[in-house]
Amino acid sequence: MHFAHAITRTPGDDFAAGITSAQRGEPHLGKLLAQHASYEAMLRALGLQVRTLPPLPGFADAYFVEDAAVVLPETAVLTRPGAHSRRGEPMHLEKVLARERELVRIEAPGTLDGGDVLVVGREAFIGESERTNHSGATQLQGIFERHGYACTLLEAGAGLHLKSSVSQAAENTLLITAELARHRAFARYRRIELAARDAYAANALYVNGRLVIPAGYPQVAERLAAAGLEPLELDVSEPRKMDGGLTCLSLRF
Ligand code: CIR
């Protein structure tokens, strides 16, 4: 899938009030803003036009913009985030997405975070997780199927979201944790399985034929290079302190 656009949101100065289980120390606003700017510069270098939305006061996690919408070529889905503190985020994307796509919504009692949605070409995977319940997952499955996608629901695995454990690495290739590597849903893909210590690198960003992985995983970079992929690396240490990674910082379409 070729992407031309990305939407991001600048972290607000209340970002440290966001949800986290990471225990990786105090996050630093100045560093977070610098890493966020580098992330946007990387998206531009990959050919995307980046639209940056302003911080959303009262929503400390809103810069993890991926969780609030699922944007497909055919439609945009406003989610209903599983965390109460994030439930108001999607309506703040309504105006900007309505200009791009016809909008549909995940309705109560469904909950769904975009981080639980992996789209690989015309195939979609939805993880049921602490954030995404069965109602939310089946609502989105119906939307995918109406537009002709094959769509599989599965348990998301150990991470916060499905894409904490598996993401696209190349055309027919997934970067995946050992826990999900043998799941039959992924059997037809080439799978690059990660060692437990490298699990964070399973959240990687595949944009217009290039793969971006988090900095600090030299063995993953080497294995990818051996598999014919030349990953770019980006430091996301500050979003990581808030349980975030590469995919969650943007919507790509
Ligand atoms: C949260 O717990 O909702 C945020 N602190 C992190 C969200 C990360 N989102 C993602 O991986 N898609």
Side-chain angles (χ1 to χ4, degrees):
M1 203 182 307
H2 182 84
F3 298 126
H5 302 279
I7 294 174
T8 61
R9 187 183 288 287
T10 305
D13 54 16
D14 62 353
F15 80 98
I19 309 166
T20 187
S21 61
Q23 299 187 313
R24 301 185 71 86
E26 270 299 295
H28 185 280
L29 180 62
K31 239 171 131 180
L32 175 62
L33 291 174
Q35 289 182 357
H36 196 262
S38 302
Y39 177 86
E40 291 177 320
M42 183 207 63
L43 292 179
R44 288 192 188 97
L46 294 173
L48 307 193
Q49 209 173 47
V50 179
R51 168 143 192 203
T52 308
L53 303 176
L56 200 57
F59 294 96
D61 281 315
Y63 62 104
F64 295 121
V65 75
E66 172 184 70
D67 292 321
V70 177
V71 186
L72 305 173
E74 301 84 357
T75 190
V77 183
L78 294 175
T79 67
R80 189 166 178 270
H84 280 281
S85 62
R86 304 196 62 188
R87 195 123 325 145
E89 292 177 24
M91 69 183 223
H92 295 280
L93 290 175
E94 193 168 334
K95 231 166 81 187
V96 61
L97 288 177
R99 267 183 242 132
E100 308 288 344
R101 298 286 189 277
E102 189 193 334
L103 293 184
V104 290
R105 290 174 173 73
I106 300 299
E107 308 284 356
T111 62
L112 185 116
D113 278 14
D116 280 315
V117 183
L118 172 66
V119 182
V120 185
R122 301 298 295 173
E123 183 156 27
F125 302 90
I126 307 175
E128 293 186 39
S129 68
E130 273 184 27
R131 301 291 177 87
T132 295
N133 66 17
H134 190 64
S135 166
T138 52
Q139 287 179 50
L140 185 62
Q141 182 178 37
I143 295 164
F144 273 121
E145 289 177 351
R146 273 201 292 289
H147 291 291
Y149 291 75
C151 182
T152 305
L153 307 192
L154 68 154
E155 289 295 321
L160 176 61
H161 290 120
L162 178 65
K163 279 186 292 195
S164 312
S165 300
V166 53
S167 40
Q168 186 173 11
E171 222 37 56
N172 191 46
T173 305
L174 303 174
L175 200 51
I176 191 163
T177 60
E179 185 190 8
L180 291 190
R182 267 160 292 283
H183 197 293
R184 62 190 152 79
F186 303 117
R188 76 174 188 82
Y189 291 90
R190 174 167 76 147
R191 280 151 285 153
I192 299 176
E193 188 177 324
L194 295 168
R197 65 171 182 279
D198 294 332
Y200 180 72
N203 186 256
L205 188 60
Y206 181 63
V207 174
N208 297 346
R210 291 307 302 265
L211 179 66
V212 188
I213 62 170
Y217 292 90
Q219 279 155 353
V220 176
E222 267 169 40
R223 284 197 48 213
L224 289 167
L229 308 172
E230 293 294 337
L232 303 167
E233 297 181 36
L234 200 73
D235 188 1
V236 283
S237 65
E238 298 310 293
R240 185 178 186 178
K241 290 176 182 170
M242 303 309 296
D243 283 347
L246 284 163
T247 65
C248 47
L249 294 169
S250 63
L251 289 165
R252 288 88 44 202
F253 54 95

CSV table of all heavy atoms in Angstrom, one decimal, residues 1-50:
chain,number,residue,atom,x,y,z
A,1,MET,N,0.8,-1.2,0.0
A,1,MET,CA,0.0,0.0,0.0
A,1,MET,C,0.9,1.3,0.0
A,1,MET,O,1.8,1.4,0.8
A,1,MET,CB,-0.9,0.0,1.3
A,1,MET,CG,-2.1,0.9,1.1
A,1,MET,SD,-3.2,0.9,2.6
A,1,MET,CE,-3.4,-0.8,3.0
A,2,HIS,N,0.6,2.1,-0.9
A,2,HIS,CA,1.4,3.4,-1.0
A,2,HIS,C,0.8,4.4,-0.1
A,2,HIS,O,-0.4,4.7,-0.2
A,2,HIS,CB,1.6,3.9,-2.4
A,2,HIS,CG,2.4,5.1,-2.5
A,2,HIS,ND1,3.8,5.0,-2.5
A,2,HIS,CD2,2.1,6.4,-2.5
A,2,HIS,CE1,4.3,6.3,-2.5
A,2,HIS,NE2,3.3,7.1,-2.5
A,3,PHE,N,1.5,5.1,0.7
A,3,PHE,CA,1.0,6.2,1.6
A,3,PHE,C,1.5,7.5,1.1
A,3,PHE,O,2.6,7.7,0.7
A,3,PHE,CB,1.4,6.0,3.0
A,3,PHE,CG,1.0,4.7,3.7
A,3,PHE,CD1,1.9,3.9,4.3
A,3,PHE,CD2,-0.4,4.4,3.8
A,3,PHE,CE1,1.5,2.7,4.9
A,3,PHE,CE2,-0.8,3.2,4.4
A,3,PHE,CZ,0.1,2.4,5.0
A,4,ALA,N,0.5,8.5,1.1
A,4,ALA,CA,0.9,9.8,0.7
A,4,ALA,C,0.8,10.8,1.8
A,4,ALA,O,1.4,11.9,1.8
A,4,ALA,CB,0.0,10.3,-0.5
A,5,HIS,N,0.0,10.4,2.8
A,5,HIS,CA,-0.2,11.4,3.9
A,5,HIS,C,0.0,10.7,5.3
A,5,HIS,O,-0.1,9.5,5.5
A,5,HIS,CB,-1.7,11.8,3.9
A,5,HIS,CG,-2.1,12.4,2.6
A,5,HIS,ND1,-1.8,13.8,2.3
A,5,HIS,CD2,-2.7,11.9,1.6
A,5,HIS,CE1,-2.3,14.0,1.1
A,5,HIS,NE2,-2.8,13.0,0.6
A,6,ALA,N,0.3,11.6,6.3
A,6,ALA,CA,0.4,11.1,7.7
A,6,ALA,C,-0.2,12.2,8.5
A,6,ALA,O,-0.1,13.4,8.2
A,6,ALA,CB,1.8,10.8,8.1
A,7,ILE,N,-0.9,11.8,9.6
A,7,ILE,CA,-1.3,12.7,10.6
A,7,ILE,C,-0.6,12.4,11.9
A,7,ILE,O,-0.5,11.2,12.3
A,7,ILE,CB,-2.9,12.6,10.8
A,7,ILE,CG1,-3.6,13.1,9.6
A,7,ILE,CG2,-3.3,13.4,12.0
A,7,ILE,CD1,-5.1,12.8,9.6
A,8,THR,N,-0.1,13.4,12.5
A,8,THR,CA,0.6,13.3,13.8
A,8,THR,C,0.0,14.3,14.8
A,8,THR,O,-0.8,15.2,14.3
A,8,THR,CB,2.1,13.5,13.8
A,8,THR,OG1,2.3,14.9,13.3
A,8,THR,CG2,2.8,12.6,12.8
A,9,ARG,N,0.3,14.2,16.1
A,9,ARG,CA,-0.1,15.2,17.0
A,9,ARG,C,1.0,15.5,18.0
A,9,ARG,O,1.6,14.6,18.5
A,9,ARG,CB,-1.4,14.7,17.8
A,9,ARG,CG,-2.0,15.8,18.7
A,9,ARG,CD,-3.1,15.4,19.5
A,9,ARG,NE,-4.4,15.1,18.9
A,9,ARG,CZ,-5.2,16.0,18.4
A,9,ARG,NH1,-4.9,17.3,18.5
A,9,ARG,NH2,-6.3,15.6,17.8
A,10,THR,N,1.3,16.7,18.2
A,10,THR,CA,2.4,17.1,19.0
A,10,THR,C,2.1,16.7,20.5
A,10,THR,O,0.9,17.0,20.9
A,10,THR,CB,2.6,18.7,19.0
A,10,THR,OG1,2.8,19.0,17.6
A,10,THR,CG2,3.8,19.1,19.8
A,11,PRO,N,3.0,16.1,21.2
A,11,PRO,CA,2.7,15.8,22.6
A,11,PRO,C,2.5,17.1,23.4
A,11,PRO,O,3.2,18.1,23.1
A,11,PRO,CB,4.0,15.1,23.1
A,11,PRO,CG,4.7,14.6,21.8
A,11,PRO,CD,4.3,15.6,20.7
A,12,GLY,N,1.6,17.0,24.4
A,12,GLY,CA,1.4,18.2,25.2
A,12,GLY,C,2.3,18.2,26.5
A,12,GLY,O,2.9,17.1,26.8
A,13,ASP,N,2.3,19.3,27.2
A,13,ASP,CA,3.2,19.3,28.4
A,13,ASP,C,2.6,18.5,29.5
A,13,ASP,O,3.2,18.4,30.6
A,13,ASP,CB,3.6,20.7,28.8
A,13,ASP,CG,2.4,21.6,28.9
A,13,ASP,OD1,1.2,21.1,29.1
A,13,ASP,OD2,2.5,22.9,29.0
A,14,ASP,N,1.4,17.9,29.3
A,14,ASP,CA,0.8,17.0,30.3
A,14,ASP,C,1.1,15.6,30.0
A,14,ASP,O,0.5,14.7,30.6
A,14,ASP,CB,-0.7,17.3,30.4
A,14,ASP,CG,-1.5,17.0,29.1
A,14,ASP,OD1,-0.8,16.7,28.1
A,14,ASP,OD2,-2.7,17.0,29.1
A,15,PHE,N,2.0,15.3,29.0
A,15,PHE,CA,2.1,13.9,28.5
A,15,PHE,C,2.5,12.9,29.6
A,15,PHE,O,2.1,11.8,29.5
A,15,PHE,CB,3.2,13.9,27.4
A,15,PHE,CG,4.6,13.9,27.9
A,15,PHE,CD1,5.2,12.7,28.0
A,15,PHE,CD2,5.2,15.0,28.3
A,15,PHE,CE1,6.5,12.7,28.6
A,15,PHE,CE2,6.4,15.0,28.9
A,15,PHE,CZ,7.1,13.8,29.0
A,16,ALA,N,3.2,13.4,30.6
A,16,ALA,CA,3.6,12.4,31.7
A,16,ALA,C,2.5,11.9,32.5
A,16,ALA,O,2.6,10.9,33.2
A,16,ALA,CB,4.7,13.1,32.6
A,17,ALA,N,1.3,12.5,32.3
A,17,ALA,CA,0.1,12.0,33.0
A,17,ALA,C,-0.5,10.8,32.2
A,17,ALA,O,-1.6,10.3,32.6
A,17,ALA,CB,-0.9,13.1,33.2
A,18,GLY,N,0.0,10.4,31.1
A,18,GLY,CA,-0.5,9.4,30.3
A,18,GLY,C,-0.4,8.0,31.0
A,18,GLY,O,0.3,7.9,32.0
A,19,ILE,N,-1.0,7.0,30.4
A,19,ILE,CA,-1.0,5.7,31.0
A,19,ILE,C,0.3,5.0,30.7
A,19,ILE,O,0.8,5.1,29.5
A,19,ILE,CB,-2.1,4.8,30.4
A,19,ILE,CG1,-3.5,5.5,30.4
A,19,ILE,CG2,-2.2,3.4,31.0
A,19,ILE,CD1,-4.5,4.8,29.5
A,20,THR,N,1.0,4.4,31.7
A,20,THR,CA,2.2,3.6,31.3
A,20,THR,C,2.4,2.5,32.4
A,20,THR,O,2.0,2.6,33.5
A,20,THR,CB,3.4,4.5,31.2
A,20,THR,OG1,4.5,3.8,30.8
A,20,THR,CG2,3.8,5.2,32.5
A,21,SER,N,3.1,1.5,31.9
A,21,SER,CA,3.5,0.4,32.7
A,21,SER,C,5.0,0.2,32.6
A,21,SER,O,5.6,-0.8,33.1
A,21,SER,CB,2.8,-0.9,32.3
A,21,SER,OG,3.1,-1.2,31.0
A,22,ALA,N,5.6,1.1,31.8
A,22,ALA,CA,7.0,0.8,31.3
A,22,ALA,C,8.1,0.8,32.4
A,22,ALA,O,9.1,0.1,32.3
A,22,ALA,CB,7.3,1.8,30.2
A,23,GLN,N,8.0,1.6,33.4
A,23,GLN,CA,9.0,1.7,34.4
A,23,GLN,C,10.4,1.9,33.8
A,23,GLN,O,11.3,1.2,34.2
A,23,GLN,CB,9.0,0.5,35.3
A,23,GLN,CG,7.7,0.4,36.1
A,23,GLN,CD,7.6,-0.7,37.1
A,23,GLN,OE1,8.0,-1.8,36.8
A,23,GLN,NE2,7.1,-0.4,38.3
A,24,ARG,N,10.5,2.9,32.9
A,24,ARG,CA,11.8,3.1,32.3
A,24,ARG,C,12.3,4.5,32.6
A,24,ARG,O,13.1,5.1,31.9
A,24,ARG,CB,11.7,3.0,30.8
A,24,ARG,CG,11.3,1.6,30.3
A,24,ARG,CD,11.3,1.4,28.8
A,24,ARG,NE,12.6,1.4,28.3
A,24,ARG,CZ,13.4,0.3,28.2
A,24,ARG,NH1,12.9,-0.8,28.6
A,24,ARG,NH2,14.6,0.4,27.7
A,25,GLY,N,11.8,5.1,33.7
A,25,GLY,CA,12.2,6.4,34.2
A,25,GLY,C,11.3,7.5,33.8
A,25,GLY,O,10.4,7.3,33.0
A,26,GLU,N,11.6,8.7,34.3
A,26,GLU,CA,10.9,9.9,34.0
A,26,GLU,C,11.0,10.3,32.6
A,26,GLU,O,12.1,10.5,32.1
A,26,GLU,CB,11.4,11.1,34.9
A,26,GLU,CG,10.8,11.2,36.2
A,26,GLU,CD,9.3,11.5,36.1
A,26,GLU,OE1,8.9,12.6,35.6
A,26,GLU,OE2,8.5,10.7,36.6
A,27,PRO,N,9.9,10.4,31.8
A,27,PRO,CA,10.1,10.9,30.5
A,27,PRO,C,10.4,12.4,30.5
A,27,PRO,O,10.0,13.1,31.4
A,27,PRO,CB,8.7,10.6,29.8
A,27,PRO,CG,7.8,10.5,31.0
A,27,PRO,CD,8.6,10.1,32.2
A,28,HIS,N,11.0,12.9,29.4
A,28,HIS,CA,11.5,14.3,29.4
A,28,HIS,C,10.8,15.0,28.2
A,28,HIS,O,11.0,14.5,27.0
A,28,HIS,CB,13.0,14.2,29.2
A,28,HIS,CG,13.7,15.6,29.3
A,28,HIS,ND1,13.7,16.4,28.2
A,28,HIS,CD2,14.3,16.2,30.3
A,28,HIS,CE1,14.3,17.5,28.5
A,28,HIS,NE2,14.7,17.4,29.8
A,29,LEU,N,10.1,16.0,28.5
A,29,LEU,CA,9.3,16.7,27.4
A,29,LEU,C,10.2,17.2,26.3
A,29,LEU,O,9.9,17.0,25.1
A,29,LEU,CB,8.5,17.9,28.0
A,29,LEU,CG,7.6,18.6,26.9
A,29,LEU,CD1,6.6,17.7,26.3
A,29,LEU,CD2,6.9,19.8,27.5
A,30,GLY,N,11.3,17.8,26.6
A,30,GLY,CA,12.2,18.4,25.5
A,30,GLY,C,12.7,17.3,24.6
A,30,GLY,O,12.7,17.4,23.4
A,31,LYS,N,13.1,16.2,25.2
A,31,LYS,CA,13.6,15.0,24.4
A,31,LYS,C,12.4,14.4,23.6
A,31,LYS,O,12.6,14.0,22.5
A,31,LYS,CB,14.1,14.0,25.4
A,31,LYS,CG,15.6,13.7,25.2
A,31,LYS,CD,16.1,12.8,26.4
A,31,LYS,CE,16.8,11.6,25.9
A,31,LYS,NZ,17.3,10.8,26.9
A,32,LEU,N,11.3,14.3,24.3
A,32,LEU,CA,10.1,13.7,23.5
A,32,LEU,C,9.8,14.6,22.3
A,32,LEU,O,9.5,14.0,21.2
A,32,LEU,CB,8.9,13.6,24.5
A,32,LEU,CG,7.6,13.2,23.9
A,32,LEU,CD1,7.7,11.7,23.3
A,32,LEU,CD2,6.5,13.2,24.9
A,33,LEU,N,9.8,15.9,22.5
A,33,LEU,CA,9.4,16.8,21.3
A,33,LEU,C,10.5,16.6,20.2
A,33,LEU,O,10.2,16.6,19.0
A,33,LEU,CB,9.3,18.2,21.8
A,33,LEU,CG,8.1,18.5,22.7
A,33,LEU,CD1,8.1,19.9,23.2
A,33,LEU,CD2,6.8,18.2,21.9
A,34,ALA,N,11.8,16.5,20.6
A,34,ALA,CA,12.8,16.4,19.6
A,34,ALA,C,12.7,15.0,18.9
A,34,ALA,O,12.8,15.0,17.7
A,34,ALA,CB,14.2,16.4,20.3
A,35,GLN,N,12.4,13.9,19.6
A,35,GLN,CA,12.2,12.7,19.0
A,35,GLN,C,11.0,12.7,18.1
A,35,GLN,O,10.9,12.1,17.0
A,35,GLN,CB,12.1,11.5,20.0
A,35,GLN,CG,13.4,11.3,20.7
A,35,GLN,CD,13.4,10.2,21.7
A,35,GLN,OE1,12.3,9.6,22.0
A,35,GLN,NE2,14.5,9.8,22.3
A,36,HIS,N,9.9,13.4,18.5
A,36,HIS,CA,8.7,13.5,17.7
A,36,HIS,C,9.0,14.2,16.4
A,36,HIS,O,8.5,13.8,15.3
A,36,HIS,CB,7.6,14.2,18.5
A,36,HIS,CG,6.2,14.0,18.0
A,36,HIS,ND1,5.6,15.0,17.2
A,36,HIS,CD2,5.3,13.0,18.1
A,36,HIS,CE1,4.4,14.6,16.9
A,36,HIS,NE2,4.2,13.4,17.4
A,37,ALA,N,9.8,15.3,16.5
A,37,ALA,CA,10.1,16.0,15.3
A,37,ALA,C,11.0,15.2,14.4
A,37,ALA,O,10.8,15.2,13.1
A,37,ALA,CB,10.9,17.3,15.7
A,38,SER,N,11.9,14.4,14.9
A,38,SER,CA,12.7,13.5,14.0
A,38,SER,C,11.8,12.4,13.4
A,38,SER,O,12.0,12.1,12.2
A,38,SER,CB,13.8,12.7,14.9
A,38,SER,OG,14.6,13.7,15.5
A,39,TYR,N,10.8,12.0,14.1
A,39,TYR,CA,9.9,11.0,13.5
A,39,TYR,C,9.1,11.6,12.3
A,39,TYR,O,9.0,11.0,11.3
A,39,TYR,CB,8.9,10.6,14.6
A,39,TYR,CG,7.8,9.6,14.3
A,39,TYR,CD1,8.1,8.2,14.3
A,39,TYR,CD2,6.6,10.1,13.9
A,39,TYR,CE1,7.0,7.4,14.0
A,39,TYR,CE2,5.5,9.2,13.6
A,39,TYR,CZ,5.8,7.8,13.6
A,39,TYR,OH,4.8,6.9,13.3
A,40,GLU,N,8.7,12.8,12.5
A,40,GLU,CA,8.0,13.5,11.4
A,40,GLU,C,8.9,13.7,10.2
A,40,GLU,O,8.5,13.6,9.1
A,40,GLU,CB,7.4,14.8,11.9
A,40,GLU,CG,6.3,14.6,12.9
A,40,GLU,CD,5.7,15.9,13.4
A,40,GLU,OE1,6.5,16.8,13.7
A,40,GLU,OE2,4.5,16.0,13.6
A,41,ALA,N,10.1,14.1,10.5
A,41,ALA,CA,11.1,14.3,9.4
A,41,ALA,C,11.3,13.0,8.7
A,41,ALA,O,11.5,13.0,7.4
A,41,ALA,CB,12.4,14.9,10.0
A,42,MET,N,11.4,11.9,9.4
A,42,MET,CA,11.6,10.6,8.7
A,42,MET,C,10.4,10.3,7.8
A,42,MET,O,10.5,9.8,6.7
A,42,MET,CB,11.8,9.5,9.8
A,42,MET,CG,12.0,8.2,9.2
A,42,MET,SD,11.4,7.0,10.4
A,42,MET,CE,9.7,7.3,10.5
A,43,LEU,N,9.2,10.6,8.3
A,43,LEU,CA,8.0,10.3,7.5
A,43,LEU,C,8.0,11.1,6.2
A,43,LEU,O,7.7,10.7,5.1
A,43,LEU,CB,6.7,10.6,8.2
A,43,LEU,CG,6.3,9.7,9.4
A,43,LEU,CD1,5.0,10.2,10.1
A,43,LEU,CD2,6.2,8.3,9.0
A,44,ARG,N,8.5,12.4,6.3
A,44,ARG,CA,8.6,13.3,5.1
A,44,ARG,C,9.6,12.7,4.2
A,44,ARG,O,9.4,12.6,3.0
A,44,ARG,CB,9.0,14.7,5.5
A,44,ARG,CG,7.9,15.4,6.2
A,44,ARG,CD,8.1,16.9,6.3
A,44,ARG,NE,7.0,17.5,7.1
A,44,ARG,CZ,7.1,17.7,8.4
A,44,ARG,NH1,8.2,17.5,9.1
A,44,ARG,NH2,6.0,18.2,9.1
A,45,ALA,N,10.8,12.2,4.8
A,45,ALA,CA,11.8,11.7,3.9
A,45,ALA,C,11.3,10.4,3.2
A,45,ALA,O,11.8,10.1,2.1
A,45,ALA,CB,13.0,11.3,4.8
A,46,LEU,N,10.3,9.7,3.7
A,46,LEU,CA,9.7,8.5,3.1
A,46,LEU,C,8.6,8.9,2.1
A,46,LEU,O,7.9,8.0,1.6
A,46,LEU,CB,9.2,7.6,4.2
A,46,LEU,CG,10.3,6.9,5.1
A,46,LEU,CD1,9.7,6.1,6.2
A,46,LEU,CD2,11.3,6.1,4.2
A,47,GLY,N,8.4,10.2,1.9
A,47,GLY,CA,7.5,10.6,0.9
A,47,GLY,C,6.1,11.0,1.3
A,47,GLY,O,5.3,11.3,0.5
A,48,LEU,N,5.9,11.1,2.6
A,48,LEU,CA,4.6,11.5,3.2
A,48,LEU,C,4.5,13.0,3.4
A,48,LEU,O,5.5,13.6,3.8
A,48,LEU,CB,4.3,10.7,4.5
A,48,LEU,CG,4.4,9.2,4.5
A,48,LEU,CD1,3.8,8.6,5.7
A,48,LEU,CD2,3.8,8.6,3.3
A,49,GLN,N,3.3,13.5,3.2
A,49,GLN,CA,3.0,14.8,3.6
A,49,GLN,C,2.5,14.7,5.0
A,49,GLN,O,1.5,14.0,5.2
A,49,GLN,CB,1.9,15.4,2.6
A,49,GLN,CG,2.0,16.8,2.4
A,49,GLN,CD,1.0,17.3,1.4
A,49,GLN,OE1,-0.2,16.8,1.4
A,49,GLN,NE2,1.4,18.1,0.5
A,50,VAL,N,3.1,15.4,5.9
A,50,VAL,CA,2.7,15.3,7.3
A,50,VAL,C,1.9,16.4,7.8
A,50,VAL,O,2.3,17.6,7.7
A,50,VAL,CB,4.0,15.1,8.2
A,50,VAL,CG1,3.6,15.0,9.7
A,50,VAL,CG2,4.8,13.9,7.8
